[in-house]
Amino acid sequence: MNTATDTPSPAPRAEIVVNLEAIRHNVRRLRELVSQGGDAPAFMAVLKADAYGHGVVQVARAAREAGADWLGVATPEEALELRAAGDTGRLMCWVHVLGDDLGPAIAADVDVSAHTAAQVRAIAESARSLGRRARVHLKVDTGMSRGGASPADWPAVLTEAVLAERDGSLTVAGIFSHLACADQPDHPTNDAQEQVFRDAVAAAEELGLRPEVRHLANSAGALLRPSVRFDLVRVGIATYGLTPAPDVVSSEELGLVPAMTVRARILMGRRLAKGAGVSYGHTWVAPEETDVALVPIGYGDGIPRHASSTAQVQLNGRRADVLGRICMDQFVVGGAAGEGDEVVLFGPGTDGEPTAQDWAEWCDTISYEIVTRMRGRQHRRWVNETAR
Ligand SMILES: *Cc1c(COP(=O)(O)O)cnc(C)c1O
């Protein structure tokens, strides 16, 4: 017998650990929160960009187990990856350009979006050539000024959709839009966008369209503004246990559990003499004799360079400061450590370690970017894969 397998292999140099029980918990909790004080809207877990860095196939399975009615992704390729992994539920994608072949997505029963009359025509043609009926969600711009038909172009999009519905090449399954300021519940733009959306839906209904789902809310809208929940909420960041509106409510207050932990093992520890400059540019100089440790990941692994000399980690159970610049593959933290000791960059925050939200604040960004960019050379593993 090979006894080598009896020896536990050392933890990898760096790893991303995704807790799928946290995903399931968050989906259940969020479905409960968005059902308070009204009819329960359908719940879409938004899994674009590899589920915000958490692993799209694993997160999809967990989200479905916890009751996600829909999954949403950006691109048709992302949708097809979920189909290839065996997901058969309602699934929507919303980022594709004219000329992209939507045939495979339509054939795989993926709902697609259309922002322009030309897109509606192209989807209808593609469906006709497949002998299928596409399911389309028409996007109206209600004030974000990103995607979607402007109120001026909306009638043309509707007219095109009515024609295509009549000839059987597509069904308008949804009408949707996106909020620009949902994380600031008192921002007047929310009222304005909601009104434009209601008008756009009314215009579609006047032409005889009967969309199955009207949807406007992202995580912040779904949690902070009940009136924008409509028939379906599209929940991304909160699914991963992170608050969409850190100035308003913490993830803990929402009862959510951050699912991602990033950790590494120390490459070496050493003692620096007073006056030693650390890392490129010597932006940090030891004010006195200082113990430091070398963390073997850097911006090549998604660690933001903006964290230089500002972020903290948890080293052997205690907070330690990042000293000097983050490099491509390494950075230095203050504190005594030996080779192979554990360092936690961020996690759920329940054991004294920083959170992705802390890193976002240190780096002047949002938690979305922190978790989504952790896609370098770390091992990634999933725990609690089967529902308890
Ligand atoms: C990313 C995205 C969402 C999810 O946003 P969160 O703030 O992460 O909840 C919802 N809808 C659309 C169209 C998106 O692109």
Side-chain angles (χ1 to χ4, degrees):
M1 254 187 84
N2 183 357
T3 52
T5 55
D6 296 334
T7 322
S9 54
R13 174 186 62 88
E15 65 175 357
I16 298 166
V17 184
V18 177
N19 178 2
L20 295 174
E21 184 53 32
I23 300 284
R24 285 188 291 267
H25 164 84
N26 294 333
V27 169
R28 287 192 292 260
R29 171 77 183 145
L30 288 160
R31 290 181 73 217
E32 191 180 292
L33 287 173
V34 300
S35 305
Q36 282 169 4
D39 292 338
F43 187 93
M44 174 190 284
V46 177
L47 308 186
K48 62 199 182 187
D50 200 25
Y52 294 39
H54 293 68
V56 68
V57 170
Q58 291 81 357
V59 172
R61 215 170 283 141
R64 290 290 197 200
E65 281 165 6
D69 310 287
W70 288 71
L71 302 180
V73 291
T75 69
E77 291 79 11
E78 291 177 313
L80 290 171
E81 184 181 351
L82 284 169
R83 286 291 187 249
D87 189 273
T88 55
R90 290 303 285 277
L91 169 61
M92 174 184 176
C93 66
W94 50 73
V95 177
H96 40 85
V97 300
L98 202 59
D100 284 351
D101 180 11
L102 289 178
I106 294 167
D109 214 20
V110 174
D111 287 44
V112 298
S113 75
H115 302 226
T116 66
Q119 278 190 339
V120 175
R121 264 194 305 277
I123 292 164
E125 270 162 36
S126 185
R128 272 195 297 274
S129 71
L130 287 164
R132 294 183 67 104
R133 197 174 179 120
R135 273 200 303 261
V136 179
H137 298 239
L138 304 177
K139 176 140 193 204
V140 59
D141 177 25
T142 51
M144 171 106 168
S145 308
R146 196 176 64 175
S150 68
D153 293 338
W154 186 237
V157 171
L158 293 177
T159 305
E160 202 65 47
V162 168
L163 289 173
E165 258 205 356
R166 254 183 229 149
D167 78 13
S169 47
L170 60 78
T171 300
V172 175
I175 290 179
F176 76 115
S177 189
H178 197 56
L179 294 169
C181 305
D183 59 338
Q184 303 165 63
D186 300 328
H187 200 291
T189 294
N190 294 310
D191 293 331
Q193 285 199 263
E194 185 179 334
Q195 191 53 51
V196 175
F197 187 67
R198 289 184 188 280
D199 294 345
V201 169
E205 287 172 349
E206 262 165 46
L207 292 177
L209 295 172
R210 294 288 177 271
E212 171 191 349
V213 282
R214 303 159 297 162
H215 45 116
L216 180 57
N218 52 7
S219 294
L223 290 167
L224 303 176
R225 194 178 169 92
S227 62
V228 296
R229 289 173 188 157
F230 292 95
D231 308 308
L232 176 148
V233 293
R234 304 186 305 265
V235 180
I237 196 70
T239 297
Y240 308 99
L242 299 166
T243 176
D247 295 337
V248 180
V249 64
S250 69
S251 70
E252 200 178 1
E253 286 162 343
L254 289 167
L256 301 175
V257 179
M260 181 187 288
T261 296
V262 175
R263 58 189 206 207
R265 292 194 312 128
I266 294 299
L267 193 152
M268 66 180 287
R270 60 193 298 199
R271 177 160 295 173
L272 297 181
K274 175 178 176 176
V278 169
S279 192
Y280 291 118
H282 281 184
T283 56
W284 191 87
V285 176
E288 60 201 342
E289 209 178 52
T290 309
D291 287 323
V292 299
L294 183 58
V295 181
I297 49 178
Y299 63 78
D301 307 283
I303 312 306
R305 190 167 173 277
H306 282 86
S308 299
S309 290
T310 74
Q312 293 183 340
V313 298
Q314 187 187 45
L315 176 61
N316 291 327
R318 300 163 72 153
R319 286 293 183 99
D321 294 323
V322 173
L323 304 179
R325 290 203 180 132
I326 304 266
C327 308
M328 189 180 291
D329 323 298
Q330 324 173 33
F331 64 93
V332 174
V333 297
E339 286 178 51
D341 283 359
E342 182 185 71
V343 55
V344 180
L345 278 73
F346 62 83
T350 43
D351 222 7
E353 76 281 12
T355 60
Q357 179 58 36
D358 291 330
W359 275 75
E361 286 166 24
W362 289 324
C363 299
D364 197 21
T365 184
I366 52 178
S367 62
Y368 299 63
E369 188 188 357
I370 297 296
V371 291
T372 304
R373 60 185 293 151
M374 296 294 141
R375 304 185 63 188
R377 295 162 290 185
Q378 302 95 323
H379 284 241
R380 193 167 54 174
R381 73 187 164 89
W382 293 267
V383 297
N384 301 320
E385 292 218 48
T386 37
R388 278 192 228 133

